[in-house]
Amino acid sequence: ELGDGKAAATAFLEAGKLLAQEGSDPQEFFERAYKLDGSNPDIALALARTLLARGDAERAVTVLNPFASGPQPRNDISEIFGRALLAAHRPLDAEPFIWTLYERDPRQADEVTRMIGAMLDIERSDKALAVAHRLEEAESRRGKRREFVGLLKQHAADQHPAGADFLEYLVECYNAANREHDYCDTLLKLFELYFAAGNFLKAADSL
């Protein structure tokens, strides 16, 4: 009522946090805070987290974009922005943010393999392959190559359509990891792809 929008926005932000701690939906208060002071990164981040949790990834991207597009965005903003881009089916835009998240915390390798799967969805197997090779090298240095292959299978190979080039890469990974069943299944997928394309020599090699 006094016209002090920034102070009111901060109060709405804190009220929203209290609601969240109680297990209630804080979005209404975060929305009011953001309307009063859209330049506050803490308010934008709180709203974006809530939007992302509710499945509104596109708006979460819009809210955080001004704070994530600078040369050195805050780590917490960079993380949520990358996850929002990924949820909005924009894996190419998400790549630098998701990779930075992984570099800060290698336990987030699963996020990178989810991004690889999203790249396969938009038929960018070239980018998916490049990121997979990069992650494989990093995880191998950590002694986690077997775990990497498992994550790749879980988040990319099993859930997303892959072209012949990516399937060939999976065959190599499964063979090196002694995953015989996955190796054979992937060779059969390769056979079907090559046969359908009329590449009978490659199809025969796969069998």
Side-chain angles (χ1 to χ4, degrees):
E1 290 177 355
L2 292 171
D4 191 349
K6 290 186 180 296
T10 301
F12 279 127
L13 172 63
E14 294 305 318
K17 289 179 180 178
L18 288 173
L19 277 181
Q21 290 172 9
E22 295 171 356
S24 301
D25 184 0
Q27 183 170 353
E28 179 185 356
F29 283 159
F30 290 157
E31 291 279 11
R32 295 180 72 178
Y34 182 71
K35 185 176 181 179
L36 287 165
D37 186 8
S39 65
N40 186 318
D42 294 322
I43 292 173
L45 180 60
L47 177 58
R49 287 184 193 275
T50 305
L51 291 168
L52 187 57
R54 294 170 70 97
D56 193 351
E58 288 286 358
R59 182 146 181 260
V61 169
T62 300
V63 167
L64 281 184
N65 187 59
F67 307 97
S69 56
Q72 289 186 320
R74 276 171 33 180
N75 289 346
D76 51 357
I77 289 176
S78 176
E79 175 182 345
I80 299 302
F81 188 64
R83 293 182 192 275
L85 285 168
L86 204 53
H89 310 293
R90 294 169 57 182
L92 301 184
D93 295 328
E95 180 185 355
F97 298 97
I98 296 297
W99 191 261
T100 298
L101 171 63
Y102 167 72
E103 288 181 326
R104 288 200 306 268
D105 181 7
R107 292 173 299 178
Q108 303 291 337
D110 59 331
E111 288 295 328
V112 183
T113 52
R114 287 189 182 94
M115 181 174 66
I116 292 169
M119 289 173 172
L120 293 174
D121 282 342
I122 63 171
E123 299 182 351
R124 287 300 305 270
S125 59
D126 56 331
K127 291 292 294 182
L129 269 174
V131 175
H133 281 297
R134 188 179 178 190
L135 182 61
E136 180 186 3
E137 292 175 5
E139 288 294 279
S140 296
R141 287 195 297 269
R142 298 178 59 235
K144 298 284 187 179
R145 191 178 188 281
R146 183 175 294 274
E147 290 82 353
F148 156 76
V149 175
L151 288 174
L152 194 64
K153 172 178 165 33
Q154 178 183 355
H155 296 304
D158 286 355
Q159 300 183 30
H160 305 274
D165 52 353
F166 198 83
L167 289 177
E168 291 278 12
Y169 171 70
L170 287 174
V171 164
E172 296 174 6
C173 287
Y174 293 148
N175 189 33
N178 296 317
R179 299 179 69 121
E180 185 175 347
H181 181 73
D182 297 324
Y183 175 69
C184 292
D185 282 350
T186 308
L187 283 171
L188 287 174
K189 291 178 183 177
L190 268 175
F191 164 76
E192 292 170 356
L193 276 180
Y194 284 135
F195 190 87
N199 192 341
F200 302 122
L201 286 176
K202 280 284 193 178
D205 285 342
S206 299
L207 283 180

